[in-house]
Amino acid sequence: MADLRAQLVSRVRGMLAEALGATRTRSAAASTELTSARERLARVRRAATAVPERVGAQRDRRLAEIDERHAARLAELARRAAAAAAREAPGAASADWDGWVATPAGRGEPPGAVRVGTVRIDGAGPVPALVPLLDAGHVQLTGGDPQGYAAVVPALLLRSVGRADPGAVRLFGYDPEHLGGGLAGFAPLGTAGLLTFVGPGGLGRLLDDLVEQIRRINETVLAGEYRTLRELAAATGRRPEPWRVAVLLGGDEPSRHERGQLDRVVRTGAACGVHLVVRGIDLPDDPTVTRVRVDAEQAVVGGLPVVLDAPPPAALVTETCRTIASRVNAGPPPTPFADLLPPPDRMWREDSATGLVAPIGEGPHGRPVLLTLGDYPPHALIGGPSGTGKTNLIFAWIGALAARYSPAELEFYLLDFKEGVSFARFAQGRRDPSWLPHMRLVGINVNTDREFGLALLRFLAEELRRRADAAKKHEVTKLAELRAVDPDGHWPRIVAVVDEFQALLAGRDVVAREAADLLEDLARRGRSQGIHLVLASQDVRGIEALWGRPALVAQFTLRIALPKALRILAERNDAAQSLPRHHAVVNAESGLVEGNQVARIPSASDWESWSDLQHRLWRMRPPDAAPARLFDGDAIPRLVEAPDFRALTEPETGVPRSPVALLGEIIDVQSRSAALRLPRAPGRNLAVLGTRVDEACAVLDAAARSLARQHRPGTARFSIACLDQDADPAARELYADLAGDAAWYDEETLPELMAEVGDGLAAPGTPSTPHYLLLYAVDAAAGQLAGRAGRRTGLEQLRRILHDGPERRTHVLAWWRGVARMRADLGGPAARTDQIGAWVALDVQGGELGSSLYPGTGGPDWYPRPWRGLFFDRAVHRTGQVIIPYGPSR
């Protein structure tokens, strides 16, 4: 038992020892775990203590990033807002007053809004505070700060005026309290009609007028095609109406009628360019109304606080308004010439069969004003004092027509009776080889050559006869019908422009009478055959020259009156008296008031405006196009350039049957030469009469050289006798150029020549060699010829040569320095002069020529002028022919 007990005790002790060991182990492990837990707790507590600091730092960092992005975004938005404001309100609309100048918007570009102050943004630059006005809406000022009003109203108006073209903004001031004092700085605009003050009690009339303007613009300008004037201007590039800004500064409460009209202007005015700037009068709520509240502390525009700009300096307002008024009073500038032209790919696309239609300028509503020439109206009359743009209008019309109609459809003939060369640009020149392909004739500096105008009318009359004959042949009456039945014929419409045409009708001589008759016939019958006359004058006397012929005046149903033109329009039509510069009244109803249209004429008279068009059309010219004939009354033609001289040729054998002596250039359309035929017939001699040495030498020189050109060397004889020292150089030069075919004589040897030639006429047979006696100042040898001893005196021999020589191929071309001297050499006052078959009178009055040299009584209507002669050939002419002697050959 004891052992069992001992065993049990031992076993219990062992178990207890194990339990104790295990317990100690677990206790140590628990202690270790506790220590670890405590450490973890300490770490957690330390970490928990650091979290707020970290989170706070992250929060602060995040907030800083947000602030930075917000500031950058705000700065970017402010920059964009400033850039948008600069685009919407450029130049004068937002510039600071220091250095401010007017900067009108471009053509068709809206003026935009205007600046009244700035909006301050923390962290960003100031942004302009803009107020929309022109083409946008109305402005109502509220609040109680008078100084604020004094800053806002002048700024609004000056910036608006500065962003528009001069005269494009019209102000109406209603200031019953201060009687216009609130707009005193703008008073200079009143001198140009751009500022109208409305007195107390005039508000109703002002609003009625604004409403009427809105009605008119909607009805006649927008006409259902556009919703607003701004839309019209953007589409067409033109603004036909000014902006009208009514500035209403206080007053009594509007009446019921005034309130109704005010509401109408608010609703419909902005679309028609009618705007209100109001203080002291309530405007209805409308999207077009911008309210500006001005208090002592601040101003509020559209809900935003605004720092108002300082008012514009009074001197700046006044000076700007004076400048604008002076420019408006000087008249609006002309529109660009390009406005009249079609696009390049549309040039020469029009058909002139039924008429010619082209714009001449812009009408009041921005639409082109068209000019028509056809069956009705057939002809045009243009009038205006010097400096009002008559030549410019003609150029603009020619350009508009030439760009639309090809040379096969239209031809021009231009004649300018005033001094100047403005029309010369249409012909080929030395500096510019181009010419207008439609141009057939250009006459310049013809103020002393009425015969050239008469020649043009004769040419047109012949063309009219040719067309009438063709129409009769084809059994038609009008040009359109003729072109339809004869498409291969050349039947362009002809426009003949005669500037200062009254020169043709001046006086009571043959030229005036024939010119008037031809004008009347062309005006009456030309319409049906496509020949149109455009007569222009700057002098009322030019128009009065027509009134004695009512049948002629009645044909000119198209009237164009420039500023201050008289007697162009009907008697009671004074529309031209109030025209500004660069404008014209166009009337296709014979000047009656109901036919008036006002056109703004482009600038077309300077070469830059014309150069591009003319060169473009010149490059388009047909292959067979020839330059226009240019007649310059101040230029002296040259024989070697004359077509008739170049056409002369020597015969292959023998001598020409009827040699031709060219004496000068005829004043006519076709650049012909005055030709004297020298056949074997009585009287085929020439007398040059007058004291002008150079001109007399020129006539004889041209005659001799043209005759020599028709003879082969050695087949003609030229005897040259010069008895005037001043003529000696010219005669010697001719003698040298004729070389072996010429012989020289002087005072000593001239009698021998007369005797030789005179005696030779008695020889049997006819000489085979023509003999031409060129006698310079032959009257100077009268003493030697009269005192010659022998069977016949020298004068008797001369008379015999004149009488019998032509039939034996001997012709005298002699210069006498006076008609009386020639008569004396021929036998005295009663002597016959029929042996002088042709003569050229220089500085000789028509009355001196008398009936013996000229048919009829009293002599020809001839008034001498420098470098002109009157040529008469008994065998050819019924009346004298004015010629221009050819200039020196070298």
Side-chain angles (χ1 to χ4, degrees):
M1 290 293 291
D3 293 334
L4 180 59
R5 186 181 293 144
Q7 292 177 353
L8 289 171
V9 169
S10 176
R11 290 178 62 186
V12 168
R13 287 179 176 172
M15 293 173 63
L16 289 174
E18 290 177 2
L20 179 63
T23 299
R24 287 176 178 172
T25 300
R26 287 197 295 272
S27 175
S31 177
T32 301
E33 185 176 352
L34 176 62
T35 302
S36 297
R38 285 175 178 171
E39 290 177 355
R40 287 197 302 274
L41 176 62
R43 288 198 300 273
V44 168
R45 285 177 176 173
R46 288 196 301 272
T49 302
V51 164
E53 295 179 3
R54 187 171 67 253
V55 170
Q58 291 178 349
R59 179 200 62 198
D60 293 343
R61 188 165 56 253
R62 180 63 176 165
L63 289 176
E65 292 175 356
I66 293 174
D67 288 342
E68 185 178 348
R69 287 200 300 269
H70 176 72
R73 179 63 175 167
L74 195 62
E76 174 64 15
L77 290 175
R79 186 190 65 78
R80 292 184 181 181
R87 289 193 301 270
E88 183 66 19
S94 61
D96 294 331
W97 299 126
D98 184 18
W100 185 92
V101 292
T103 55
R107 197 162 184 237
E109 177 187 349
V114 294
R115 168 180 148 181
V116 294
T118 54
V119 176
R120 303 293 183 180
I121 300 176
D122 293 338
V127 176
L130 305 183
V131 172
L133 183 60
L134 301 185
D135 277 342
H138 316 281
V139 178
Q140 179 179 6
L141 300 173
T142 62
D145 184 8
Q147 292 183 351
Y149 298 149
V152 173
V153 173
L156 278 174
L157 299 183
L158 185 61
R159 292 190 186 280
S160 297
V161 168
R163 278 296 292 161
D165 288 331
V169 176
R170 297 181 184 177
L171 305 180
F172 301 86
Y174 175 68
D175 187 9
E177 296 178 3
H178 298 91
L179 301 179
L183 300 175
F186 295 88
L189 295 177
T191 62
L194 302 178
L195 173 61
T196 303
F197 286 107
V198 179
L203 178 61
R205 292 191 301 275
L206 172 59
L207 294 175
D208 289 345
D209 180 67
L210 295 179
V211 169
E212 174 60 23
Q213 294 293 344
I214 294 171
R215 182 204 63 77
R216 178 187 61 79
I217 292 170
N218 276 317
E219 180 179 329
T220 63
V221 181
L222 300 178
E225 296 183 36
Y226 302 96
R227 292 176 300 172
T228 67
L229 285 178
R230 182 171 185 167
E231 184 180 308
L232 184 153
T236 65
R238 302 178 179 88
R239 185 173 183 89
E241 291 285 331
W243 288 277
R244 295 173 173 86
V245 180
V247 185
L248 313 181
L249 302 180
D252 298 332
E253 179 64 22
S255 66
R256 182 176 179 181
H257 172 74
E258 292 169 347
R259 174 58 63 185
Q261 297 292 66
L262 197 65
D263 292 350
R264 293 185 180 93
V265 173
V266 170
R267 290 196 309 272
T268 62
C272 298
V274 177
H275 306 281
L276 301 172
V277 175
V278 176
R279 188 197 73 197
I281 300 176
D282 289 336
L283 295 182
D285 291 332
D286 192 271
T288 61
V289 176
T290 300
R291 304 187 191 278
V292 179
R293 181 173 182 81
V294 181
D295 293 321
E297 296 80 10
Q298 67 176 0
V300 178
V301 179
L304 290 176
V306 172
V307 178
L308 294 177
D309 288 337
L316 177 63
V317 175
T318 303
E319 184 59 32
T320 301
C321 292
R322 283 177 181 164
T323 301
I324 292 173
S326 65
R327 292 186 60 183
V328 172
N329 287 328
T335 57
F337 177 50
D339 287 357
L340 295 186
L341 307 180
D345 61 342
R346 295 296 304 169
M347 290 183 175
W348 289 7
R349 296 290 186 88
E350 302 296 329
D351 187 334
S352 67
T354 58
L356 300 166
V357 181
I360 192 59
E362 178 184 286
H365 306 319
R367 292 177 172 83
V369 176
L370 301 179
L371 291 182
T372 300
L373 288 175
D375 288 346
Y376 188 90
H379 311 293
L381 197 59
I382 302 173
S386 177
T388 55
K390 177 167 51 65
T391 300
N392 180 73
L393 185 144
I394 292 172
F395 279 37
W397 195 1
I398 290 174
L401 287 170
R404 286 167 171 78
Y405 298 94
S406 71
E409 300 286 336
L410 170 65
E411 290 182 350
F412 285 111
Y413 293 79
L414 266 59
L415 195 58
D416 189 356
F417 273 102
K418 68 178 182 296
E419 295 185 19
V421 295
S422 55
F423 285 170
R425 68 185 61 181
F426 301 121
Q428 191 175 37
R430 293 187 180 92
R431 291 190 305 168
D432 187 352
S434 73
W435 70 86
L436 193 64
H438 310 69
M439 203 63 58
R440 306 313 317 137
L441 173 72
V442 177
I444 58 175
N445 291 318
V446 293
N447 49 303
T448 60
D449 289 316
R450 293 188 302 145
E451 295 84 1
F452 189 77
L454 185 58
L456 172 60
L457 296 181
R458 288 172 178 167
F459 173 84
L460 295 176
E462 178 60 25
E463 177 64 16
L464 176 60
R465 185 199 60 77
R466 186 180 75 89
R467 294 185 175 207
D469 289 346
K472 186 183 300 183
K473 174 183 176 182
H474 291 283
E475 298 180 347
V476 296
T477 58
K478 296 182 179 180
L479 181 69
E481 299 169 345
L482 177 60
R483 290 175 59 167
V485 299
D486 185 20
D488 295 329
H490 182 63
W491 308 114
R493 287 194 178 266
I494 291 175
V495 176
V497 182
V498 183
D499 197 3
E500 301 304 329
F501 70 94
Q502 70 274 8
L504 263 176
L505 307 177
R508 298 183 178 180
D509 56 6
V510 174
V511 173
R513 290 193 295 271
E514 185 179 356
D517 291 339
L518 288 171
L519 270 177
E520 186 166 337
D521 184 58
L522 287 167
R524 180 170 50 84
R525 299 195 298 132
R527 70 166 72 205
S528 61
Q529 302 303 333
I531 297 177
H532 307 284
L533 301 175
V534 177
L535 304 184
S537 176
Q538 68 181 15
D539 192 334
V540 68
R541 290 174 297 176
I543 310 305
E544 289 174 343
L546 295 177
W547 297 126
R549 291 178 173 262
L552 174 58
V553 177
Q555 304 300 323
F556 289 81
T557 51
L558 177 57
R559 312 285 178 84
I560 305 174
L562 293 156
K564 302 297 186 293
L566 298 174
R567 306 206 63 181
I568 289 289
L569 305 175
E571 184 176 355
R572 298 181 182 276
N573 189 349
D574 60 354
Q577 303 309 306
S578 57
L579 278 179
R581 291 181 61 200
H582 312 301
H583 285 69
V585 175
V586 176
N587 189 302
E589 301 296 336
S590 299
L592 297 178
V593 174
E594 52 268 27
N596 284 355
Q597 294 185 80
V598 176
R600 186 180 177 191
I601 310 301
S603 175
S605 57
D606 61 288
W607 176 239
E608 279 88 17
S609 300
W610 252 100
S611 179
D612 181 65
L613 174 64
Q614 178 157 311
H615 281 82
R616 180 185 296 276
L617 299 182
W618 181 64
R619 290 190 294 269
M620 295 168 58
R621 70 190 186 280
D624 58 347
R629 150 94 156 119
L630 175 63
F631 176 84
D632 185 352
D634 286 350
I636 299 175
R638 300 180 69 239
L639 179 66
V640 293
E641 297 172 356
D644 289 339
F645 179 76
R646 293 198 298 267
L648 295 175
T649 57
E650 60 188 38
E652 294 181 3
T653 60
V655 297
R657 296 183 57 186
S658 183
V660 177
L662 304 184
L663 309 178
E665 183 178 281
I666 301 172
I667 297 182
D668 74 349
V669 172
Q670 297 170 313
S671 189
R672 295 177 300 163
S673 298
L676 171 64
R677 293 201 169 272
L678 299 177
R680 294 174 55 194
R684 294 291 80 194
N685 301 300
L686 173 71
V688 182
L689 306 172
T691 61
R692 292 184 181 142
V693 177
D694 292 342
E695 297 171 29
C697 290
V699 173
L700 293 181
D701 185 88
R705 293 179 187 276
S706 56
L707 287 169
R709 189 175 175 87
Q710 301 165 68
H711 296 280
R712 291 181 293 112
T715 62
R717 177 184 175 190
F718 294 86
S719 295
I720 303 174
C722 183
L723 309 178
D724 186 306
Q725 280 188 329
D726 293 334
D728 191 74
R732 292 276 184 185
E733 182 178 324
L734 175 63
Y735 169 68
D737 290 346
L738 293 179
D741 290 336
W744 182 264
Y745 298 88
D746 55 20
E747 291 184 6
E748 298 297 328
T749 56
L750 179 60
E752 297 176 5
L753 172 64
M754 293 294 102
E756 175 200 342
V757 176
D759 293 341
L761 294 177
T766 301
S768 60
T769 301
H771 188 184
Y772 304 106
L773 281 71
L774 300 163
L775 310 180
Y776 291 75
V778 64
D779 54 281
Q784 288 87 339
L785 294 177
R788 182 75 175 178
R791 292 187 307 167
R792 293 178 183 268
T793 65
L795 285 177
E796 289 173 339
Q797 294 284 23
L798 175 60
R799 294 166 195 160
R800 182 181 182 185
I801 296 170
L802 290 169
H803 187 272
D804 300 332
E807 295 181 75
R808 296 176 61 80
R809 292 200 176 100
T810 300
H811 306 275
V812 176
L813 294 86
W815 164 35
W816 279 273
R817 292 174 295 183
V819 177
R821 292 192 175 202
M822 184 188 73
R823 291 185 187 279
D825 287 351
L826 296 181
R832 294 174 59 88
T833 59
D834 52 359
Q835 65 267 43
I836 302 295
W839 47 261
V840 175
L842 300 173
D843 55 339
V844 175
Q845 296 293 334
E848 297 181 51
L849 297 168
S851 58
S852 61
L853 290 173
Y854 196 79
T857 59
D861 288 329
W862 168 243
Y863 305 97
R865 50 192 188 271
W867 213 261
R868 297 294 184 272
L870 183 67
F871 171 49
F872 182 75
D873 186 342
R874 293 176 187 269
V876 177
H877 298 146
R878 295 175 55 192
T879 59
Q881 197 173 54
V882 179
I883 67 171
I884 308 174
Y886 288 113
S889 299
R890 294 183 180 177

